[in-house]
């Protein structure tokens, strides 16, 4: 436990009178409870794995099968056609038992085998059903008879009360698309970006690849798809994320900000305590698999594999490639404040600390006026700079002694918390404040976030919150799920009188229901037993290490100076109007972004929109190429005075439909870029050069976009409480001369945009891009309203 509660369970001394033993009963009790908690968690994992292994069958169905078999036996009918007798004579432990035990034991074994066979047939039938994706391509309106029958069958076979990981073994594998189809889709996507001569050259390269080396690479890739769980995900994680040697900050990590329209308290310790507590409740549900799996249309499950590394995970630097290290459990969090690091225990005497107890601990840190050790304040700059210097510093200075112990405390923490000493806010009369908030979450000061941790929770001095997340372990929807859950618990669960939502409190004690704030803004509840004191981490950083830290900080400062991030609250209209226009909101915004970019730069560009492939086991993302010939036709028509509004609307709806088809293709394994990426990896393994793949993989994404998902839980009704949605988050620009654009469709009447680019590029400007987006959205609205 913490230093205030003794570090050892017993001490002894040897004197001339003999050996004196002093037993610390409180410490022994704490050790016993900690061990008991670990055993319970291990048993819980084993139980969940057994349930998931046979799902959608249930343990109760085994009892039904056994009862069915015994009923036939008692009626004098052998339902096994002699198999029970065979089991009785061929299983030594049954043949040597008494006749009664032997007979009924054989019945139990037979019933169990029948039940397992039924469970696996059921599971693999569900997997076959989930390979059907035609339902996604059906236009709005009446379903086809085939889809109706499929939907009813999936619902019947989908099981009852699934846990988070229940569907994992029923999800289909991601299949490899044909090279011919990928080549055709690729050529269609680049057609509006190339002139006739360049397109003819690219078409020739593509066809030569398709008829030549592509066939050999495809065979290897198909072979991998049979062997591996997912033919893309491991290579994507290794080569796109972990092999990168450039800084994580801005280049890879992403961020999110608070629900900016409200703030339940301005007290930093109180807000930090409730959000930390809400995240720990989420972690408990995650560990017990009590989070509901995400179901499309309340029927089709998405892969939940990415949730496994959300907590107790850190990215460890390597010379050529980093590695992700995940710990099964942690009983503490790491906290940074004004250059000092603290270890904060979240359990005491086997119980999770209540918000009011966490608040007290956080306040102790805020009130601590001790000075940082030399180099301690800027230590986290090592995680913000280049990976190789951080690797060498770690090997040289953090392998033993107090530095290793303190680094372990940070890396083995459930998550990292940064208590900022500056306020952040949103002011509708001063948009720059929200942009400043976003910048603080994206990069901070370059040394006050531990960028290697799975995520850093940031709490500002006036009680605003946000996070910065490392990207290799999972994609944004996983963090968005945690964020949405935490926002709800923080805003709505107000103590023991709060309404019970979902099944959270079915496993919680009365003491758990103490989240919320008093009228003065403090955490609700009372402290009955003083919580463990925070432990100040100690560092001994020699001068050479200090120089590495300063070099990393200088690199971080250069990155920060170069990023240009602007946030936009577009509240003129939102999803409500877009749906009235009978256009998909995502397609609507993507077309507006195409229009905005074209007006600024007088040309089109390769555009990336992130789409998920979690319909498949261990699926992550695929690229939707949003710039299409149809979107270009619409954009040109918008600024063509010869085009009538009716023509522009028709072109937009056609472009939106094409975009929707491309999104569905990406989601169902018929995308372009992950297939080409994996073919490129195979070519490198085989040491084969492909001019086509080399050129395709080097094309810059000058417009990289992503929609932040929300309402992944059933807790928050945005129709009633639209002000409670987070303002979303964003990321840095992908190309030196491009933009990173993230957006969240916040209810019916608001859309948040996060636009980034580089100051060093003379042709890009986030503020001008924001203005262009606003004008594009306004012009599209006018087009529909005057129709």
């Amino acid at each position: 436990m913490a230093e205030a509660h003794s570090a050892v369970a017993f001490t002894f001394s040897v004197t001339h009178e003999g050996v004196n033993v002093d037993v610390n009963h409180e410490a022994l009790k704490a050790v016993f409870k900690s061990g008991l908690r670990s055993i319970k968690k291990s048993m819980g994992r084993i139980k969940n794995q057994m349930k998931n292994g046979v799902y959608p069958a249930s343990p109760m169905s085994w009892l039904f099968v056994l009862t069915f078999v015994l009923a036939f036996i008692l009626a004098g009918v052998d339902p096994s056609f002699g198999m029970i007798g065979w089991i009785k004579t061929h299983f030594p432990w049954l043949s040597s038992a008494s006749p009664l035990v032997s007979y009924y034991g054989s019945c139990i074994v037979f019933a169990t085998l029948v039940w397992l066979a039924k469970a696996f047939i059921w599971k693999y039938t569900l997997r076959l059903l989930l390979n059907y994706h035609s339902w996604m391509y059906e236009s709005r309106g009446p379903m086809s008879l085939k889809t109706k029958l499929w939907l009813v069958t999936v619902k019947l076979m989908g099981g009852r009360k699934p846990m988070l990981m229940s569907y994992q073994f029923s999800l289909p594998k991601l299949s490899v698309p044909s090279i011919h189809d990928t080549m055709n889709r690729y050529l269609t996507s680049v057609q509006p970006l190339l002139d006739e001569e360049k397109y003819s050259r690219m078409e020739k390269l593509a066809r030569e690849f398709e008829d030549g080396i592509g066939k050999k690479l495809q065979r290897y890739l198909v072979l991998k798809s049979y062997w591996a769980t997912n033919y893309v995900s491991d290579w994507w994680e290794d080569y796109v994320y972990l092999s990168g040697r450039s800084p994580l900050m801005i280049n890879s990590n992403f961020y999110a900000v608070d629900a900016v329209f409200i703030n339940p308290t301005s007290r930093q310790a109180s807000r930090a305590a409730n959000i930390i507590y809400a995240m720990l409740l989420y972690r408990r549900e995650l560990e017990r698999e009590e989070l509901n799996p995400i179901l499309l249309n309340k029927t089709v499950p998405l892969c939940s594999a990415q949730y496994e590394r959300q907590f107790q995970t850190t990215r460890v630097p390597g010379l050529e490639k980093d590695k992700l290290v995940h710990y099964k459990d942690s009983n503490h969090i790491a906290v940074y404040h004004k250059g000092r690091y603290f270890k904060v225990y979240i359990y005491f005497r086997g119980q999770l600390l209540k918000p009011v107890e966490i608040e007290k601990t956080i306040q102790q840190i805020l009130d601590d006026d001790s000075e940082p050790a030399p180099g301690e304040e800027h230590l986290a700059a090592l995680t913000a700079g280049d990976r190789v210097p951080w690797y060498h510093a770690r090997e040289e200075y953090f392998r033993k002694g107090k530095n290793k112990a303190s680094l372990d405390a940070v890396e083995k923490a459930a998550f990292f918390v940064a208590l900022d000493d500056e306020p952040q806010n949103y002011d509708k009369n001063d948009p720059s404040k929200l942009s400043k908030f976003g910048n603080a979450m994206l990069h901070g000061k370059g040394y006050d976030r531990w960028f290697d941790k799975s995520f850093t929770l940031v709490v500002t001095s006036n009680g605003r919150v946000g996070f910065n997340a490392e990207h290799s372990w999972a994609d944004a929807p996983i963090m968005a799920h945690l964020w949405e859950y935490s926002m709800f618990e923080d805003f709505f669960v107000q103590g023991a009188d709060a309404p019970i939502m979902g099944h959270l409190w079915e496993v919680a004690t009365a003491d758990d229901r103490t989240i919320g704030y008093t009228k003065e803004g403090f955490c609700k509840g009372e402290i009955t037993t003083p919580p463990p004191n925070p432990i100040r981490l100690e560092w001994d950083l020699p001068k050479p290490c200090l120089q590495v830290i300063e070099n990393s900080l200088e690199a971080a400062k250069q990155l920060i100076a170069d990023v240009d991030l602007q946030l936009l609250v577009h509240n003129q209209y939102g999803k409500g109007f877009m749906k009235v226009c009978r256009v998909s909101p995502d397609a609507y915004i993507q077309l507006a972004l195409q229009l905005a970019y074209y007006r600024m730069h007088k040309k089109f560009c390769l555009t990336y929109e992130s789409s998920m492939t979690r319909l498949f086991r261990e699926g992550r993302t695929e690229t939707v190429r949003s710039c299409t010939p149809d979107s270009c036709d619409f954009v040109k028509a918008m600024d063509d005075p010869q085009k009538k509004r009716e023509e522009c609307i028709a072109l937009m709806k056609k472009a939106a439909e094409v975009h929707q088809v491309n999104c569905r293709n990406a989601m169902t394994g018929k995308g372009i870029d992950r297939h080409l990426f994996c073919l490129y990896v195979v070519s490198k393994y085989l040491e084969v050069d492909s001019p086509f793949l080399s050129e395709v993989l080097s094309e810059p994404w000058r417009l990289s976009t992503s929609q932040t998902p929300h309402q992944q839980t059933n807790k928050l009704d945005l129709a009633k409480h639209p002000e409670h949605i987070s303002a979303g988050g964003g990321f840095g620009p992908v190309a030196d001369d491009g933009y990173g654009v993230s957006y969240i469709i916040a209810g019916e009447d608001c859309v948040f945009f996060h636009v980034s680019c580089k100051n060093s590029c003379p042709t890009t400007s986030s503020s001008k891009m924001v203005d262009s987006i606003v004008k594009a959205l306004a012009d599209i609205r006018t087009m529909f309203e005057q129709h």
Side-chain angles (χ1 to χ4, degrees):
M1 295 305 294
E3 60 184 359
H5 294 273
S6 296
V8 293
F10 68 92
T11 58
F12 69 91
S13 60
V14 181
T15 68
H16 64 279
E17 296 178 351
V19 179
N20 294 324
V21 179
D22 181 21
V23 178
N24 186 326
H25 294 283
E26 281 296 315
L28 280 176
K29 189 176 179 180
V31 170
F32 174 76
K33 286 189 174 181
S34 178
L36 190 62
R37 174 174 166 267
S38 296
I39 292 171
K40 285 181 177 179
K41 291 185 73 170
S42 297
M43 294 300 292
R45 289 192 189 102
I46 293 171
K47 183 185 75 172
N48 288 342
Q49 287 170 2
M50 291 176 63
K51 285 183 177 179
N52 292 335
V54 298
Y55 193 86
S58 67
M60 284 299 296
S61 64
W62 171 83
L63 188 59
F64 174 79
V65 173
L66 178 60
T67 303
F68 182 83
V69 170
L70 290 175
F72 270 89
I73 292 295
L74 293 173
V77 179
D78 182 2
S80 69
F81 300 100
M83 191 173 178
I84 291 176
W86 184 90
I87 292 171
K88 180 181 176 182
T89 56
H90 287 79
F91 281 51
W93 55 277
L94 287 174
S95 59
S96 61
S98 65
L100 191 64
V101 172
S102 177
Y103 190 71
Y104 284 103
S106 301
C107 292
I108 292 172
V109 171
F110 172 75
T112 302
L113 292 174
V114 170
W115 175 71
L116 287 173
K118 171 210 166 192
F120 283 101
I121 291 171
W122 198 347
K123 182 186 295 292
Y124 283 97
T125 302
L126 182 59
R127 179 183 291 185
L128 288 172
L129 288 168
L130 292 176
N131 266 308
Y132 175 76
H133 298 129
S134 297
W135 63 275
M136 296 186 68
Y137 294 87
E138 293 187 2
S139 58
R140 293 177 182 176
M143 288 184 188
S144 66
L145 178 60
K146 182 179 179 181
T147 297
K148 285 180 181 178
L149 292 173
W150 168 83
L151 190 63
V152 170
T153 308
V154 170
K155 285 186 175 182
L156 288 173
M157 300 199 67
R160 297 176 63 251
K161 296 182 180 180
M163 295 186 297
L164 180 64
M165 301 293 176
S166 291
Y167 290 109
Q168 288 304 102
F169 296 105
S170 298
L171 291 172
K173 282 188 174 185
L174 180 64
S175 59
V176 183
S178 72
I179 285 192
H180 180 72
D181 289 344
T182 298
M183 291 302 104
N184 287 342
R185 293 187 185 109
Y186 171 77
L187 290 172
T188 301
S189 73
V190 297
Q191 188 176 358
L193 307 176
L194 305 174
D195 59 32
E196 188 173 340
E197 181 181 347
K198 290 180 179 178
Y199 179 78
S200 296
R201 174 183 166 276
M202 182 56 71
E203 186 177 30
K204 181 182 177 184
L205 283 175
R207 297 309 176 194
E208 287 176 353
F209 173 78
E210 179 184 344
D211 297 331
I213 189 62
K215 292 181 179 179
K216 180 179 180 180
L217 303 181
Q218 178 80 349
R219 284 196 294 270
Y220 279 93
L221 198 56
V222 170
L223 182 63
K224 188 200 173 186
S225 74
Y226 292 150
W227 177 255
T229 305
N230 188 295
Y231 81 89
V232 176
S233 295
D234 57 338
W235 284 351
W236 188 253
E237 181 177 300
D238 282 349
Y239 299 120
V240 172
Y241 290 117
L242 297 180
S243 295
R245 303 293 81 200
S246 59
L248 301 184
M249 183 187 74
I250 298 174
N251 295 324
S252 178
N253 285 24
F254 59 95
Y255 73 90
V257 297
D258 206 350
V260 296
F261 295 133
I262 52 174
N263 191 13
T265 181
S266 60
R267 297 185 183 275
Q268 187 175 19
S270 304
R271 188 79 194 280
N274 269 338
I275 292 292
I276 289 169
Y277 182 75
M279 287 182 165
L280 294 173
L281 288 181
Y282 173 95
R283 185 182 75 149
R284 184 169 62 187
E285 287 202 43
L286 176 59
E287 289 172 344
R288 295 173 176 175
E289 296 190 31
E290 290 164 352
L291 288 175
N292 292 323
I294 306 297
L295 302 177
L296 295 184
N297 291 347
K298 299 181 180 180
T299 305
V300 183
L302 299 185
C303 178
S304 300
Q306 294 181 51
Y307 288 91
E308 293 176 346
R309 298 182 292 185
Q310 192 158 20
F311 295 90
Q312 299 96 235
T313 298
T314 193
R315 178 167 170 169
V316 176
L319 184 60
E320 295 181 350
K321 186 177 77 170
D322 294 352
K323 63 179 179 179
L324 280 173
V325 178
H326 172 70
Y327 302 94
K328 286 188 176 180
D329 194 17
S330 177
N331 64 353
H332 73 276
I333 57 175
V335 179
Y336 176 92
H337 178 246
K338 288 189 176 179
R340 293 88 39 83
Y341 290 82
F342 297 85
K343 181 178 181 179
V344 175
Y345 284 96
I346 51 181
Y347 284 90
F348 182 50
R349 295 179 178 174
Q351 297 294 320
L352 181 65
L353 294 182
K354 296 182 290 188
V356 68
E357 294 168 337
I358 301 173
E359 178 187 38
K360 183 179 185 297
T361 307
I362 297 295
Q363 192 61 53
Q364 284 180 264
I365 294 173
L366 295 174
D367 294 340
D368 188 324
D369 58 0
S370 60
E371 292 296 319
E376 182 180 12
E377 182 179 12
H378 297 157
L379 177 62
L382 290 171
T383 69
D386 291 321
R387 305 303 292 171
V388 174
W390 174 208
Y391 162 75
H392 287 302
R394 181 191 176 90
E395 292 295 304
E396 182 72 22
Y397 308 113
F398 296 89
R399 298 291 288 180
K400 59 184 178 180
K402 60 176 66 176
N403 287 349
K404 183 181 188 305
S406 294
L407 183 61
D408 280 349
V410 172
E411 294 186 336
K412 293 180 180 179
F415 53 91
F416 192 81
V417 179
L419 301 174
D420 282 6
D421 53 5
E422 294 180 357
Q424 302 294 341
N425 224 324
Y426 163 68
D427 184 347
K428 63 180 180 180
N429 298 316
D430 185 359
S432 66
K433 288 186 177 180
L434 187 56
S435 296
K436 179 172 173 283
F437 192 176
N439 276 279
M441 299 304 110
L442 176 63
H443 50 67
K445 297 175 182 177
Y447 58 80
D448 52 357
R449 316 277 184 261
W450 200 270
F451 293 101
D452 285 355
K453 284 296 286 181
S454 54
F455 68 93
T456 295
L457 170 65
V458 183
V459 188
T460 69
S461 62
N462 62 333
R464 287 294 188 182
V465 294
F467 71 77
N468 181 284
E470 201 276 319
H471 209 329
S472 63
W473 64 272
D475 301 307
I478 308 304
M479 276 305 300
H481 193 168
L482 167 63
W483 202 234
E484 183 179 331
Y485 180 106
S486 302
M487 292 289 104
F488 173 84
E489 299 297 325
D490 186 39
F491 290 139
F492 286 97
V493 180
Q494 298 289 315
D497 295 329
I500 297 175
M501 302 297 294
H503 60 276
L504 173 62
W505 306 122
E506 293 173 12
V507 296
T509 65
D511 288 341
D512 286 325
R513 298 175 60 182
T514 52
I515 202 166
Y517 302 94
T518 64
K519 292 180 179 179
E520 295 77 22
F522 294 101
C523 289
K524 284 188 173 182
E526 295 181 358
I527 298 176
T528 53
T529 303
N533 292 321
I535 300 175
R536 173 76 185 277
L537 300 184
E538 297 181 357
W539 309 89
D540 182 12
L541 307 171
K543 285 187 178 179
C545 183
L546 297 180
Q547 186 58 53
V548 178
I549 292 172
E550 290 307 308
N551 291 343
S552 294
L553 179 60
E554 184 58 35
K557 286 181 177 178
Q558 290 177 12
L559 281 172
I560 291 171
D562 195 27
V563 72
D564 174 16
L565 174 67
Q566 299 290 327
L567 272 66
L568 165 67
V569 183
H570 184 271
N571 50 18
Q572 285 77 19
Y573 68 96
K575 180 174 65 175
F577 177 78
M578 298 172 192
K579 290 189 295 186
V580 169
C581 299
R582 301 184 67 81
V583 176
S584 156
D586 181 69
Y588 190 109
I589 292 174
Q590 284 292 328
L591 290 169
L593 292 176
Q594 290 295 316
L595 179 58
Y597 183 91
Y598 182 79
R599 285 174 169 175
M600 275 194 69
H601 299 278
K602 309 305 178 188
K603 62 180 180 180
F604 297 104
C605 71
L606 196 61
T607 305
Y608 180 114
E609 183 187 4
S610 180
S611 175
M612 64 89 179
T613 55
R614 289 169 60 200
L615 289 168
F616 304 95
R617 192 173 175 189
E618 294 186 13
R620 290 199 59 165
T621 61
E622 176 59 276
T623 304
V624 178
R625 293 181 169 230
S626 300
C627 182
T628 64
D630 299 277
S631 69
C632 294
D633 290 342
F634 160 70
V635 167
K636 290 175 182 177
M638 281 295 290
D639 290 335
D640 184 352
Q642 303 300 319
K643 294 287 184 181
K644 297 180 180 180
R645 296 190 187 277
E646 291 78 5
E647 293 179 81
C648 292
I649 290 173
L651 289 170
M652 181 175 182
K653 290 192 173 183
K654 181 183 177 185
E657 184 57 38
V658 169
H659 180 79
Q660 286 294 93
V661 170
N662 289 341
C663 287
R664 292 163 186 149
N665 285 340
M667 291 175 66
T668 55
K670 292 179 283 189
I672 300 168
D673 292 276
R674 299 301 177 269
H675 186 199
L676 294 177
F677 163 76
C678 289
L679 290 170
Y680 179 76
V681 174
V682 174
S683 75
K684 291 302 177 183
Y685 276 119
L686 298 179
E687 298 182 344
V688 174
D689 289 328
S690 168
F692 171 74
L693 289 177
S694 298
E695 188 163 335
V696 169
L697 271 294
S698 64
E699 293 170 345
W701 300 98
R702 291 192 172 88
L703 188 55
S704 181
T705 70
S706 178
Q707 180 184 172
T708 302
H710 59 83
Q711 287 197 287
Q712 296 187 85
T713 73
N714 58 2
K715 293 174 176 290
L716 181 59
D717 186 346
L718 287 179
K720 295 180 180 178
H721 307 284
E723 72 282 1
H724 287 84
I725 192 172
S726 162
F731 49 88
V734 174
D736 290 339
D737 58 348
Y739 298 93
V741 181
S742 178
Y743 54 93
I744 182 169
I745 303 171
E748 299 295 305
D749 302 305
C750 185
V751 183
F752 290 95
F753 289 89
H754 302 245
V755 182
S756 65
C757 67
K758 292 192 175 182
N759 286 314
S760 57
C761 178
T763 61
T764 58
S765 167
S766 288
S767 58
K768 290 181 180 178
M769 183 63 171
V770 164
D771 292 340
S772 188
I773 291 171
V774 171
K775 186 175 189 308
L777 289 168
D779 288 349
I780 294 174
R781 180 181 187 176
T782 300
M783 174 185 73
F784 277 104
E785 286 182 334
Q786 295 183 359
H787 175 54

